[in-house]
Amino acid sequence: MDVLERIDQIVKSNPVVVFMKGTPQMPQCGFSSRTAQALQACGKEFAHVNVLMDPEIFENLPRYQDWPTFPQVYINGELIGGCDITLEMYQKGELKKAIDEAVA
Amino acid sequence: MTVQEIIEKKLADNFNPLHLDVINESNNHNVPEGSESHFKVVVVSPAFAGKNLLSRHRLINTTLADELKNSIHALAIHAYTEDEWNETSGGAPMSPPCLGGGK
């Protein structure tokens, strides 16, 4: 399967997914760590992909939604943004609302 | 020009900002001294009015596409309109510490 199809399938089959460096339990980048913490604080399960363990996704994810950096958070198949946007939405209460709606 | 100066110039030229901070945060990370790899930008501009966060970040990512591709490893973006900036009491959030993942 083409890597972009593989990414698309991951995004479409999980209501909430973060592509990050490391895992929520053992993040390997400060931005990924904070993003995963904000998602965890919303209290619902979410999927994650460790891009450091998947070189093909690491190389190609930036062109999937034309977004150059990691982490990337997708809710309901749509790109939410990276660390700064996820954190800002969390602080405004918008992240929890979006996640609750996505997993409902 | 240093990478920092290029970023400053591109953002100043493209966004006509009321306030612009370009902060080299590379020292907080696992890179050689004097590196220009990790930056935080704070841009306050009328260009962001009526645009959601994703669109604002896209505008900045596009403006700095060459730098993101070739020299910058990490870019923290804080993009505000003038009204929003006044409400933040003048401070963008702190960037996280490095956790050493590399790449």
Side-chain angles (χ1 to χ4, degrees):
Chain A
M1 193 192 302
D2 176 70
V3 61
L4 290 184
E5 285 175 29
R6 192 154 70 88
I7 292 169
D8 196 54
Q9 199 170 63
I10 295 168
V11 166
K12 300 269 165 67
S13 58
N14 292 286
V16 183
V17 58
V18 55
F19 294 85
M20 63 183 290
K21 292 182 177 177
T23 65
Q25 291 73 33
M26 197 168 290
Q28 295 194 54
C29 155
F31 295 96
S32 287
S33 173
R34 275 206 190 162
T35 303
Q37 280 171 11
L39 293 173
Q40 281 171 326
C42 292
K44 295 282 196 299
E45 282 192 18
F46 60 92
H48 74 269
V49 174
N50 179 357
V51 297
L52 297 178
M53 296 298 282
D54 194 324
E56 199 181 41
I57 289 185
F58 181 83
E59 289 296 324
N60 290 281
L61 183 62
R63 66 190 176 99
Y64 173 60
Q65 290 293 324
D66 191 26
W67 192 264
T69 50
F70 303 99
Q72 297 188 15
V73 175
Y74 292 82
I75 298 179
N76 257 348
E78 285 196 15
L79 175 65
I80 294 301
C83 175
D84 300 313
I85 291 179
T86 304
L87 268 279
E88 191 163 335
M89 286 180 67
Y90 173 69
Q91 280 149 11
K92 290 178 178 165
E94 293 169 5
L95 186 66
K96 184 171 177 3
K97 190 162 165 269
I99 290 176
D100 285 347
E101 285 173 10
V103 301
Chain B
M1 273 171 108
T2 63
V3 174
Q4 173 145 4
E5 286 166 346
I6 293 169
I7 296 173
E8 284 170 352
K9 179 164 175 20
K10 286 192 172 178
L11 293 178
D13 289 351
N14 278 277
F15 295 100
N16 194 21
L18 300 157
H19 179 95
L20 174 65
D21 287 325
V22 177
I23 302 157
N24 183 350
E25 298 187 321
S26 308
N27 282 344
N28 301 341
H29 297 270
N30 188 19
V31 291
E33 204 174 317
S35 292
E36 292 193 289
S37 55
H38 295 65
F39 284 92
K40 171 162 101 174
V41 300
V42 182
V43 188
V44 182
S45 166
F48 301 133
K51 294 199 168 62
N52 68 17
L53 292 172
L54 199 73
S55 309
R56 296 176 188 192
H57 283 231
R58 278 200 192 283
L59 287 174
I60 292 176
N61 283 334
T62 303
T63 302
L64 301 179
D66 287 346
E67 288 65 38
L68 279 162
K69 200 170 169 190
N70 300 312
S71 46
I72 311 178
H73 169 81
L75 181 65
I77 296 174
H78 303 284
Y80 304 101
T81 62
E82 185 175 10
D83 286 349
E84 291 163 354
W85 176 244
N86 290 334
E87 283 167 22
T88 65
S89 61
M94 297 277 286
S95 296
C98 183
L99 297 176
K103 278 202 174 178

